Amino acid sequence: MNHYQKNLTTGKIELHFEKADYMALSEDKKKAIKSNFLWSNYAGGWVSRAKNNTWSAERVAKDLNLTFEGETGEKLSFAEQVEREQERAGDRAERMEARAERAEQESTSRYQAAKSIGDYIPMGQPILVGHHSEGRHRRDLAKIDNNMRKSIEADEKAKHYENRAANAEYTANGTKFKNVNYLLNRIADCKKELRTIERSMNGNDLYSRETGEKLPDGTEISEARREHLEARKAEETEKLDFFTTK
């Protein structure tokens, strides 16, 4: 059955429906999905870009008339989320390093293959048209060209994976948490979000929950909305405590 759910472990919304149903959607609805979600082979569905503050993603799910099948997974503290992210980044770094090594080996192998063929051709030797060596000479030049192209492609691929490995290692080591400016910016973001939540809890919800339109004078919030905001407040407070103690 086509449905959506909230993954408590990741804090994200997941959409699950058949490929045929997705292909039958209008271009506008496909665009809305791609704007708010990313496809995940791991989850086997579309996973929201945003986490925790998933109102926009939920609205897309409701517009698609998907059935809400509740929550799944175990809710993690923010510290546990960071630890999980670092562990996964460490695993990703190892995979990228292995791919980079294989690509580098492929590049070297292709270069050596081209060089070994070229070593049999005297420097500057032209193709002797009509000579019995013409065919082999042309074939050897084609092989050299192909191997050199493959060597360059593999080298570029190796650099790509090396960069991905470095980025993953950066996350795995928690390097950003040692950056004072990063921490100060995150603290400021948390405080700003808490102020917004407080305004909404005081009855000044700034956006319509039905249409997403901004409301100049705000609107009264429901009890369900208040519970949601209380949960958001607790999450932001937890994040603020995490960043201020780093």
Side-chain angles (χ1 to χ4, degrees), residues 126-238:
I127 296 174
L128 302 178
V129 179
H131 190 267
H132 68 82
S133 65
E134 178 185 354
R136 179 174 179 176
H137 196 163
R138 290 186 185 280
R139 288 192 297 273
D140 285 347
L141 291 179
K143 289 177 182 178
I144 291 172
D145 179 72
N146 181 63
N147 278 308
M148 288 302 294
R149 289 177 185 276
K150 294 295 184 181
S151 176
I152 292 171
E153 290 175 3
D155 183 64
E156 291 175 347
K157 185 181 291 185
K159 291 176 180 176
H160 167 74
Y161 286 130
E162 286 170 358
N163 287 334
R164 290 191 62 183
N167 290 336
E169 193 68 29
Y170 178 89
T171 299
N173 292 335
T175 305
K176 62 186 178 183
F177 298 123
K178 302 168 188 175
N179 185 314
V180 174
N181 287 331
Y182 173 83
L183 293 174
L184 290 175
N185 288 334
R186 298 295 75 74
I187 289 171
D189 289 343
C190 289
K191 289 181 176 179
K192 179 181 178 181
E193 186 65 22
L194 284 168
R195 288 194 297 270
T196 300
I197 293 171
E198 285 289 350
R199 285 198 298 270
S200 295
M201 290 179 67
N202 290 330
N204 297 317
D205 204 350
L206 304 180
Y207 294 88
S208 168
R209 303 299 296 171
E210 287 73 30
T211 66
E213 296 181 52
K214 188 169 183 178
L215 304 170
D217 300 322
T219 183
E220 187 68 29
I221 62 175
S222 66
E223 190 59 35
R225 172 66 172 156
R226 185 173 297 280
E227 290 178 4
H228 171 74
L229 290 171
E230 287 283 5
R232 285 271 312 284
K233 181 179 179 181
E235 291 170 355
E236 288 299 322
T237 301
E238 183 182 18

Side-chain angles (χ1 to χ4, degrees), residues 92-115:
R92 187 164 62 252
E94 291 181 2
R95 292 197 304 273
M96 295 303 108
E97 287 169 357
R99 292 180 186 179
E101 184 176 351
R102 289 196 296 270
E104 186 61 38
Q105 291 172 349
E106 170 72 8
S107 177
T108 300
S109 175
R110 289 286 187 171
Y111 173 78
Q112 291 297 338
K115 185 175 183 300

Side-chain angles (χ1 to χ4, degrees), residues 235-246:
E235 291 170 355
E236 288 299 322
T237 301
E238 183 182 18
K239 288 168 61 177
L240 180 60
D241 292 340
F242 177 87
F243 290 125
T244 54
T245 54
K246 280 293 180 181

